[in-house]
């Protein structure tokens, strides 16, 4: 009897356990379904227009997504249009191969520029660089004044430019047509001088940025002197900063001795900048200590 009672209790307990397990499983299933339903029905707001959208959508509502795509396409078309306009406005250069190959030389050129050395040290006759007066006038106010008035260059159709190499002069004229220049440090220095002399501002800025990117301790003194001479403020400030950071090595440089002899006022300016920098540094440290 007692044994049968134990069997009944065991069966009852097992039945209750199975019932609880089924109930728990059903509860978990219902909870999972509720969570899924909640996730599906959860709405979010579009960052662009604040309209509501379902969480399964990605980041923005359909209307804003389509509008963004249209805007992107419009921007691409605008860029292509601008490129086409630039290509249309760009002058062909007298140095383009198709024009150089003509039997009579570049077509319709009406002026030549000649690189001449003031000391007459150049060997052989100078090579003329052909150009168009209209292009030179439109690019440089100096050429404009020279060619629109009854000056020798206007009458003869020849413009002599001193202290410049043929390669630099050719690159200078080519920039007038194409707004492009292939630079190394020497070419950048040469074109900077020409750009300053003939007031071609875009070329001057282009050369300055290139030279600043190449600036180091080895060329800083030369860069400083050239920048000072040709009003290149961006390069002047950058070179001066490099020099004042290396004042302990300044007097050992050959360029320093040359500068002392040729233009001592630049040396004075360097030391003034260095002292000013030291004062500012000391004041900054003092303010940090007080705070």
């Amino acid at each position: 009897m007692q044994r049968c009672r134990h069997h009944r209790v065991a069966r009852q307990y097992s039945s209750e356990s199975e019932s609880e397990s089924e109930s728990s499983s059903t509860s978990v299933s219902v909870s999972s379904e509720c969570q899924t339903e909640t996730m599906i029905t959860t709405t979010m707001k579009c960052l662009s227009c604040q309209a509501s959208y379902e969480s399964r959508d990605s980041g923005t509502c359909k209307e804003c997504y389509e509008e963004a795509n249209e805007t992107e396409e419009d921007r691409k078309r605008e860029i292509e249009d601008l490129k086409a306009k630039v290509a249309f406005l760009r002058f062909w250069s007298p140095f383009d191969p198709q024009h150089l190959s003509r039997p009579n030389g570049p077509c319709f050129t009406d002026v030549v520029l000649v690189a001449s050395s003031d000391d007459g040290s150049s060997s052989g006759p100078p090579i003329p660089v052909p150009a168009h007066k209209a292009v030179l006038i439109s690019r440089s106010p100096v050429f404009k004044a020279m060619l629109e008035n009854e000056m020798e260059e206007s009458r003869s159709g020849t413009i002599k430019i001193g202290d410049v190499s043929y390669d630099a002069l050719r690159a200078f004229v080519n920039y007038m047509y194409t707004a492009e220049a292939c630079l190394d440090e020497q070419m950048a220095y040469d074109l900077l001088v020409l750009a300053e002399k003939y007031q071609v501002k875009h070329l001057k800025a282009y050369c300055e940025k290139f030279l600043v990117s190449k600036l180091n301790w080895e060329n800083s003194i030369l860069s400083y002197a050239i920048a000072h001479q040709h009003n290149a403020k961006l390069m002047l400030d950058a070179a001066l900063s490099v020099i004042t950071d290396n004042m302990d090595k300044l007097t050992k440089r050959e360029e320093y001795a040359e500068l002392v002899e040729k233009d001592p006022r630049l040396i004075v300016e360097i030391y003034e900048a260095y002292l000013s920098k030291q004062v500012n540094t000391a004041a900054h440290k003092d303010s940090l200590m007080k705070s």
Side-chain angles (χ1 to χ4, degrees):
M1 291 286 293
Q2 189 173 3
R3 192 172 174 185
C4 289
R5 191 179 299 114
H6 283 307
H7 280 297
R8 284 199 300 271
V9 170
R11 283 198 299 270
Q12 183 179 359
Y13 178 77
S14 175
S15 176
E16 288 176 355
S17 297
E18 289 175 1
S19 176
E20 287 178 1
S21 177
E22 289 176 2
S23 175
S24 175
S25 176
T26 303
S27 175
V28 170
S29 176
V30 170
S31 175
S32 177
E33 288 175 1
C34 289
Q35 288 178 0
T36 303
E37 185 177 355
T38 302
M39 288 177 63
I40 292 173
T41 57
T42 298
T43 57
M44 301 180 72
K45 286 191 175 182
C46 174
L47 295 175
S48 300
C49 66
Q50 297 300 311
S52 298
Y53 66 94
E54 293 183 358
S55 59
R56 59 189 172 191
D57 294 331
S58 57
T60 187
C61 64
K62 183 178 179 181
E63 290 78 8
C64 288
Y65 180 77
E66 291 175 351
E67 184 179 347
N69 279 345
E70 290 175 2
T71 303
E72 184 68 22
E73 291 300 320
D74 289 342
R75 188 176 293 111
K76 287 180 180 178
R77 282 193 292 270
E78 288 176 5
I79 291 172
E80 292 302 319
D81 288 343
L82 287 173
K83 286 181 178 179
K85 288 178 181 177
V86 169
F88 175 75
L89 293 172
R90 179 183 182 273
F91 287 103
W92 58 264
S93 170
F95 310 111
D96 288 345
Q98 65 267 32
H99 297 295
L100 286 174
S101 61
R102 293 171 62 90
N104 297 324
C107 64
F108 306 120
T109 56
D110 51 6
V111 66
V112 294
L113 294 87
V114 177
S116 62
S117 176
D118 291 339
D119 58 8
S121 59
S122 59
S123 58
I127 303 173
V129 177
H132 300 84
K133 290 181 180 179
V135 174
L136 299 184
I137 288 171
S138 67
R139 298 293 188 254
S140 163
V142 177
F143 283 133
K144 179 179 174 67
M146 184 186 296
L147 296 172
E148 285 188 342
N149 297 309
E150 288 298 318
M151 299 179 69
E152 180 185 350
E153 292 84 359
S154 178
R155 293 193 300 270
S156 66
T158 300
I159 301 173
K160 294 181 180 180
I161 299 180
D163 292 331
V164 63
S165 68
Y166 167 77
D167 290 337
L169 180 57
R170 175 171 169 153
F172 177 63
V173 173
N174 189 63
Y175 185 88
M176 301 281 208
Y177 287 84
T178 65
E180 296 174 354
C182 184
L183 298 180
D184 56 29
E185 285 188 55
Q186 186 58 53
M187 182 61 74
Y189 282 126
D190 292 342
L191 291 181
L192 176 68
V193 173
L194 287 169
E196 166 67 14
K197 182 177 181 180
Y198 293 98
Q199 298 179 28
V200 185
K201 294 180 181 179
H202 292 94
L203 177 58
K204 182 181 177 182
Y206 181 54
C207 293
E208 266 197 90
K209 289 178 182 178
F210 177 85
L211 290 170
V212 168
S213 72
K214 300 295 182 181
L215 196 61
N216 55 50
W217 168 238
E218 296 300 321
N219 61 23
S220 59
I221 299 176
L222 174 62
S223 296
Y224 178 71
I226 291 176
H228 200 284
Q229 184 179 358
H230 298 287
N231 302 311
K233 189 176 187 311
L234 179 67
M235 187 166 70
L236 182 76
D237 293 341
L240 191 58
S241 177
V242 173
I243 292 170
T244 53
D245 285 342
N246 295 273
M247 288 296 285
D248 56 322
K249 299 181 284 186
L250 178 62
T251 56
K252 300 173 185 176
R253 297 289 301 274
E254 291 182 8
E255 296 91 336
Y256 174 82
E258 292 176 3
L259 211 56
V260 168
E261 184 178 346
K262 293 180 180 179
D263 201 345
R265 65 195 174 96
L266 296 188
I267 299 297
V268 174
E269 289 181 9
I270 289 173
Y271 278 100
E272 286 177 346
Y274 175 70
L275 291 174
S276 176
K277 190 173 185 178
Q278 292 295 100
V279 169
N280 291 337
T281 302
H284 179 65
K285 288 181 179 178
D286 188 47
S287 65
L288 289 176
M289 290 178 64
K290 288 180 179 179
S291 61

